[in-house]
Amino acid sequence: MTQLFPLPGCRLVRVAQDGPTALTLVAEAKPDHARCPTCRAISTSVHSRYRRRPADLPASGKAVRLQLEVRRFYCCDPACPRRTFAERFPKLLARHAQRTRRLAGAQARTGLALGGQPAARLLAHLAMPSSATTLLRTIRGVPLPKAPRPCVVGVDDWALRKGRTYGTIVVDLERHRPLDLLPDRSAETWAAWLRRQPQIRLVARDRSTEYARGTTLGAPAAVQVADRWHLLLNTRQMIERWLARVHPRLKLLPPITAPAPSTRRTRAYPRAPAETLARAAAVGRWEELYDDVRRRRAAGQSLRLINRETGLARATVRKYAFAEGFPRHDRRGPGRSILDPHLDHLHARQAAGCENAMQLWRELRDRGFPGTVKKVRRWLSERRTRPARTTIWRLQTPSPMAQVAPPSPPLPSPKQLSWHLLREPDDLDADAAAVVARVLQDDEAAKVVGLGRRFCRIVRSRCGAAPAKPGITTAFDAWLSDARACGVRVVESFAVSLAQDGAAVRAGLRLPWSSGQDEGQVNRLKLLKRSMYGRAKLDLLRRRFLLAA
């Protein structure tokens, strides 16, 4: 019986059934004496007895509660201020605890894995009931692990409330473990943390000016390494900013090759008149905001002042301020439809002269089409060459859709197009290659895309860190010189920012370290934060994040 219910320092007297789902273990202390917690004198004089009923780990799916016979002893030392004391069970129970140490440990591990509310719901089914508040209090009482002092760290930001409150995550890159969560992403907070770790010799970071300044203040001797993924991301963002300015001009460029004929839909089904009017009104409001931003910019207002007075997002203000025309987005192409697998059959039947929607729907139904006749009728309404016999038609001309050549494909959005422009030509499919060739007809586009691809090759090959021989300009320095003199404002600004952070960029091209581990830890941190259902205060989130690592 003692093997089934081990009780350190206690003797099991009996096991009693306490209802259909609970057990009671009656136990008492093994020794006949106890030691005074103040003077450490041994006493055998019993003053009185009382009972404690703490909860314990379940057995066979049943909740277990202990019934301990606790003795109170006289202290035999006349100089001790304590006259009586109760015997203690340090390996089994803490002072005044209502649960055993092993039960508290099991509940704490469950809370660390699941969070407060999910763990409370699960523990109720495992015969270890506890409230979410008690679990969170237990997690806060678990001591943090002691990690060796790091020498190579990565730093990145994370969102406590996206768009509002941000913090800083620090990761030990050598041991692949998170080190700390800081309450903000300011240079002062990051520098204060680094001053407490004077042994740090390398910091991998993104191109944030706050982290760069904080590292310089807190660890001036440490090597700063710019993350290569962020360098590629910043390059794509630079291309996107330039495209947002010239996109209206690029849309006027003719396609290199005529689009291949296709039986697939090239546009979505017609919208309702009310939806069309609402869309036109929304576009009109954005055009007014665009004109307002352009007027303010022409009057000499800064982007920050325009952002504060208009309430527009900073990215929107920047896009409107430097755009050559209103960035009118093309309509998106149609999404996937259950009718798409049967379009070839529909086109063939219409070419044969069949324009009966019900008849076409019956044929498609036999081919496995799961939709209704309404979808077939809507498809056919745009392609009829003569009125239907069952419909009263006004005098109208035949639909010209089959006679008009398909329009040239729309130019992708600046964000989508920036991905195509930075990829190598051999990596593009036929459609993307046609779009890139169309854009490269513009001389400025060819210059910007050439510089962007060239920098991406330098980053991916990790060359350009130091000259192979004295006097030979590195690939990165040569790129900086060409980018500064290219005549495109966006590229020149990007080159200036890279030159200001040149030491970290060269270290990133030369050394193997990066902040990729930070991105993975941020992803795990997001999962933990969202599983806590709004109770992710920084102290609790930090403790759970570090303990679950």
Side-chain angles (χ1 to χ4, degrees), residues 38 45 115 151 175 201 307 372 528 536:
T38 302
S45 301
C151 295
R175 299 175 179 84
R201 55 182 175 83
N307 162 246
T372 63
L528 291 176

Side-chain angles (χ1 to χ4, degrees), residues 24 90-91 94 145 148 151 167 282 286 343 349 399 418 428 439 529 540:
T24 298
K91 295 183 179 180
C151 295
W286 282 109
L343 288 180
R349 292 289 291 129
S399 174
S418 62
L428 298 172
V439 171
K529 180 170 68 72
L540 180 63

Side-chain angles (χ1 to χ4, degrees), residues 263-269 334-337 340 343 379 383:
T263 59
R264 296 183 61 83
R265 291 181 297 126
T266 59
R267 61 185 180 89
Y269 292 117
R336 298 184 61 182
S337 171
D340 288 345
L343 288 180
W379 175 88
R383 295 164 176 79

Side-chain angles (χ1 to χ4, degrees), residues 240-251:
E240 183 181 351
R241 286 196 301 271
W242 172 80
L243 285 172
R245 182 175 62 85
V246 302
H247 200 256
R249 186 182 79 212
L250 297 180
K251 288 195 290 187

Side-chain angles (χ1 to χ4, degrees), residues 415-430:
K415 185 173 184 178
Q416 294 173 330
L417 188 55
S418 62
W419 288 103
H420 294 324
L421 294 179
L422 288 180
R423 294 173 63 188
E424 295 296 334
D426 296 338
D427 298 333
L428 298 172
D429 55 24

Side-chain angles (χ1 to χ4, degrees), residues 384-386 393-400:
R384 288 188 180 274
T385 58
R386 58 184 182 276
W393 283 68
R394 293 187 300 270
L395 183 61
Q396 56 180 267
T397 57
S399 174

